[in-house]
Amino acid sequence: MFVDHSQGQEEKVYSSYLELNLEEVEPCISGPKRPHDRVPLKEMKEDWQSCLDSKLGFKGFAIPKETQKKVVEFTFKDQPAQLKHGDVVIAAITSCTNTSNPSVMLAAALVAKKACELGLEVKPWIKTSLAPGSGVVTKYLEKSGLQRYLNQLGFHTVGYGCTTCIGNSGDIDESVASAISQNDIVASAVLSGNRNFEGRVHPHTRANYLASPPLVVAYALAGTVDIDFDSEPIGISRDGKNVYFKDIWPSNEEIANVVQASVLPDMFKATYEAITSGNSMWNQLPVTPSTLYSWDPSSTYIHEPPYFKSMTMSPPGPHPVKDAYCLLSFGDSITTDHISPAGSIHKDSPAAKYLTERDVERKDFNSYGSRRGNDHVMARGTFANIRLVNKLLKGEVGPTTIHVPSGEKLSVFDAAMKYKSDGHDTIILAGAEYGSGSSRDWAAKGPMLLGVKAVIAKNFERIHRSNLVGMGIIPLCFKAGEDAETLGLTGQERFTIHLPTNSGDIKPGQDVIVSTDDGKSFTCTVRFDTEDPDMLEVGNGGMTKDEYVAHFSIWAISKAALLIDCDVPNMTKETMEILGNEQVIAVNQDNDETSPITADWDDVGIPLKTVVEVRDL
């Protein structure tokens, strides 16, 4: 990959070659539902029309021809306003990859400057924001004198972290939200992030396009994605003339000049020197000194996870999957955002109910991403994506499913808990690209907590497949040319996976038979891809026997290490039971002699105070 030109050169041989003709590089955006659906900018208007016309899918909204041009009148802050399909309601320069590039950030500011000088404005109901990836961005925008133009268009700095791309844009104005929902408007968001999967950006934006920062500003000014920038004006100047895209787009020379003058080395040094010292708010947080983390059972943000609570020194072995019910049946491209959304918590969701029962007000719900330290919230948020399409519901969109034994329509979480309480395992049926998108660990943890034992799909995203194995969920692939539809699987069946009962007999990539209670039978490939058969100890939570023991030992040793110098009363019964009798030595506070502590240390009548040694671990 790398060449040292000071050495003698010989022709390199590569397994494959990629040719890029720079003359063919052109401006693009991507969307409206997936980051890899690239749309050349010159084809955007045509592509948008196609999306309105096409059946519901990754590139379709199935809007009837007769309603595609409708205009919705509403009142925004006592002023008349309008919305139609494709109108932009969120425009965000986010803290993702693009904001690390001074050229595009300053290009966005130059677009804003040119627009302001011509008298262009962003419609007031469009929610605009700027979330730089670094404090350096703020420094060079201010140094250049261009930040004020971004501010004038509404692109004020809102913070320095994940925002709109992860669903943290916050609510849009209620009048705008009502106009969208009550009239079935396909509203748009344009953002400079790197993810735009369904339901991720905002509940009210069904179309979400990824664009460079200067294009975000341009689309905010245009107010719609239904525009051909080459032939249609982006707005009207203060003197009544049409303003086109070319009129506000900076040249490469303009961008280079402002970068050269405004992006200075000292900015980076000053910003990053201060990182380790924190800030006043962080530094003033009260912290109780302790060698053990003190779990707060009332916290709705951080809760002790259950993964190790039933762990024993002897691995329990594989868990058979017999007569499992289908929890959900999906088509293609179910992303980790469908499985474990990171954005806002819907007011009617199981997670919202959980938080409300604990006196958390709706304004303080925050997001799933911010509460990922609480397994109770995240389990309830699993498959809570509002754009979920579950075949068990015949095309109905939303985070619900059918509880097969009763026929009830329930939230996915409630159905899963009903299966678990009745002692039933569950599986998931899916199409191609299951688990694509962000490599989100909760997309495997969540289904495990819901009781899912296997996912049967056409294929898996690589990292998500590994994460499923890591949580003890069996990934199975249909044979080529087969899927749930071709095999006649309705999801009403009960499924038995005929894995060998001895984990040592399970081989990577082997075929197994899956049978159903109505007589169907088909072959799947087990997607345990490691060459080490011990990896197939799925009953150990996905770990090999060696890994299982190692995880247990590391966990126990870490607990033991934390006990050193710990006040004895701070130790929990659980910790003592795990470490075993007479392995923890503490000082007798009366005479400074050492004494072993047993699991019932508080009943022995010895006033012990501080742990000084942990033996035999």
Side-chain angles (χ1 to χ4, degrees):
M1 178 183 291
F2 302 102
V3 176
D4 183 351
H5 290 284
S6 66
Q7 303 296 318
Q9 301 299 306
E10 60 183 50
E11 185 176 355
K12 307 295 182 184
V13 178
Y14 301 96
S15 58
S16 61
Y17 294 82
L18 176 67
E19 182 177 302
L20 176 64
N21 185 344
L22 295 179
E23 290 183 345
E24 297 176 358
V25 176
E26 59 182 329
C28 297
I29 63 176
S30 66
K33 302 181 183 183
R34 299 188 300 185
H36 50 286
D37 289 332
R38 183 174 65 88
V39 184
L41 196 61
K42 64 186 179 184
E43 299 173 13
M44 181 57 198
K45 187 177 180 69
E46 179 185 349
D47 191 82
W48 173 252
Q49 185 60 53
S50 174
C51 288
L52 293 180
D53 292 336
S54 299
K55 67 179 183 179
L56 191 64
F58 303 120
K59 293 287 288 186
F61 297 105
I63 303 300
K65 281 283 188 185
E66 61 272 16
T67 65
Q68 289 182 7
K69 300 299 181 182
K70 73 177 177 181
V71 177
V72 175
E73 308 278 351
F74 69 103
T75 300
F76 177 81
K77 297 185 178 178
D78 300 324
Q79 297 296 317
Q82 293 181 339
L83 275 180
K84 60 184 185 297
H85 294 302
D87 278 3
V88 175
V89 296
I90 292 177
I93 301 174
T94 72
S95 65
C96 301
T97 313
N98 281 314
T99 55
S100 296
N101 183 338
S103 295
V104 292
M105 292 302 293
L106 287 165
L110 286 170
V111 169
K113 178 177 184 291
K114 290 173 180 285
C116 290
E117 290 172 344
L118 289 167
L120 300 188
E121 296 179 345
V122 174
K123 293 181 176 67
W125 55 85
I126 297 176
K127 187 162 192 174
T128 48
S129 62
L130 167 62
S134 166
V136 176
V137 179
T138 298
K139 285 183 170 65
Y140 61 65
L141 283 174
E142 290 177 347
K143 169 72 174 174
S144 67
L146 296 174
Q147 177 67 61
R148 65 189 181 98
Y149 298 108
L150 287 168
N151 291 347
Q152 189 173 328
L153 296 183
F155 289 93
H156 298 274
T157 301
V158 296
Y160 297 90
C162 288
T163 53
T164 302
C165 179
I166 198 67
N168 288 342
S169 66
D171 292 335
I172 57 176
D173 190 86
E174 183 56 39
S175 64
V176 181
S178 296
I180 293 170
S181 57
Q182 292 173 12
N183 297 279
D184 196 31
I185 291 292
V186 181
S188 298
V190 182
L191 58 146
S192 65
N194 54 25
R195 296 287 187 273
N196 60 339
F197 297 113
E198 289 184 291
R200 174 175 174 131
V201 173
H202 196 280
H204 288 99
T205 57
R206 278 189 276 168
N208 301 282
Y209 286 94
L210 305 181
S212 67
L215 280 177
V216 170
V217 178
Y219 273 108
L221 290 162
T224 181
V225 297
D226 185 13
I227 184 173
D228 180 350
F229 280 146
D230 287 338
S231 61
E232 296 179 89
I234 207 168
I236 307 295
S237 69
R238 63 170 56 92
D239 58 3
K241 295 181 180 179
N242 285 339
V243 177
Y244 291 87
F245 180 77
K246 63 182 180 180
D247 298 325
I248 62 171
W249 199 255
S251 68
N252 288 340
E253 184 179 6
E254 287 177 285
I255 297 170
N257 287 340
V258 74
V259 169
Q260 181 70 27
S262 306
V263 183
L264 307 175
D266 285 348
M267 294 177 178
F268 294 86
K269 183 178 180 181
T271 300
Y272 297 122
E273 272 182 347
I275 286 179
T276 56
S277 61
N279 58 59
S280 58
M281 291 179 65
W282 175 262
N283 294 338
Q284 290 170 15
L285 287 174
V287 179
T288 302
S290 174
T291 49
L292 289 175
Y293 182 77
S294 181
W295 298 103
D296 179 1
S298 66
S299 174
T300 55
Y301 278 97
I302 301 176
H303 179 263
E304 184 175 10
Y307 313 122
F308 297 123
K309 285 193 173 179
S310 60
M311 182 177 276
T312 60
M313 278 301 293
S314 299
H319 178 93
V321 181
K322 181 176 174 60
D323 290 331
Y325 284 100
C326 178
L327 180 63
L328 294 151
S329 179
F330 294 128
D332 294 342
S333 288
I334 292 297
T335 70
T336 53
D337 276 287
H338 288 112
I339 303 168
S340 183
S344 59
I345 297 172
H346 193 275
K347 62 183 178 64
D348 298 321
S349 65
K353 180 181 177 184
Y354 172 85
L355 293 172
T356 301
E357 289 172 348
R358 283 150 185 81
D359 299 322
V360 178
E361 296 183 36
R362 184 183 173 190
K363 66 181 179 63
D364 297 322
F365 280 179
N366 215 323
S367 65
Y368 287 111
S370 66
R371 293 187 181 272
R372 60 190 171 198
N374 188 304
D375 55 283
H376 290 305
V377 173
M378 297 305 291
R380 287 163 174 79
T382 303
F383 298 111
N385 188 302
I386 59 172
R387 304 292 177 211
L388 204 67
V389 178
N390 175 14
K391 291 183 178 181
L392 294 181
L393 293 169
K394 312 298 183 186
E396 183 179 331
V397 179
T400 54
T401 193
I402 298 296
H403 179 254
V404 174
S406 66
E408 291 180 86
K409 185 172 83 168
L410 301 169
S411 71
V412 176
F413 175 77
D414 288 341
M417 293 303 99
K418 197 171 179 66
Y419 283 125
K420 286 189 77 171
S421 65
D422 293 338
H424 299 309
D425 291 337
T426 54
I427 60 102
I428 290 170
L429 297 174
E433 299 179 344
Y434 184 82
S436 56
S438 305
S439 54
R440 190 168 296 162
D441 58 352
W442 268 110
K445 291 177 181 176
M448 185 274 279
L449 293 177
L450 295 188
V452 174
K453 300 302 180 185
V455 178
I456 309 176
K458 291 173 75 172
N459 53 57
F460 293 87
E461 191 278 333
R462 175 180 59 86
I463 298 174
H464 184 64
R465 181 210 63 81
S466 178
N467 286 345
L468 289 175
V469 174
M471 296 311 298
I473 297 175
I474 306 168
L476 298 168
C477 277
F478 292 109
K479 286 299 182 180
E482 295 183 346
D483 56 24
E485 187 173 338
T486 62
L487 293 169
L489 302 175
T490 65
Q492 300 290 326
E493 306 89 349
R494 299 187 71 173
F495 296 80
T496 297
I497 300 171
H498 298 276
L499 278 171
T501 56
N502 184 346
S503 61
D505 295 332
I506 304 175
K507 306 301 179 185
Q510 77 176 72
D511 288 346
V512 297
I513 301 296
V514 179
S515 60
T516 64
D517 61 334
D518 62 355
K520 299 184 184 80
S521 180
F522 54 97
T523 301
C524 287
T525 300
V526 182
R527 287 297 311 278
F528 295 136
D529 295 350
T530 177
E531 291 300 320
D532 181 1
D534 283 347
M535 185 62 182
L536 310 184
E537 291 276 3
V538 289
N540 305 336
M543 291 177 278
T544 69
K545 187 174 292 186
D546 290 342
E547 285 173 331
Y548 183 96
V549 173
H551 275 70
F552 181 92
S553 300
I554 291 169
W555 175 61
I557 290 170
S558 65
K559 278 184 172 285
L562 287 171
L563 285 173
I564 303 299
D565 296 326
C566 173
D567 290 341
V568 172
N570 286 343
M571 293 189 299
T572 65
K573 288 280 189 176
E574 179 185 319
T575 302
M576 290 307 308
E577 288 166 359
I578 289 168
L579 293 175
N581 292 348
E582 300 188 0
Q583 290 183 310
V584 180
I585 308 300
V587 175
N588 184 327
Q589 64 185 13
D590 284 347
N591 56 22
D592 287 336
E593 293 181 359
T594 57
S595 301
I597 308 175
T598 64
D600 58 350
W601 64 267
D602 56 348
D603 297 325
V604 299
I606 301 174
L608 303 171
K609 60 177 184 178
T610 307
V611 175
V612 294
E613 182 183 353
V614 180
R615 295 176 176 170
D616 300 325
L617 285 174

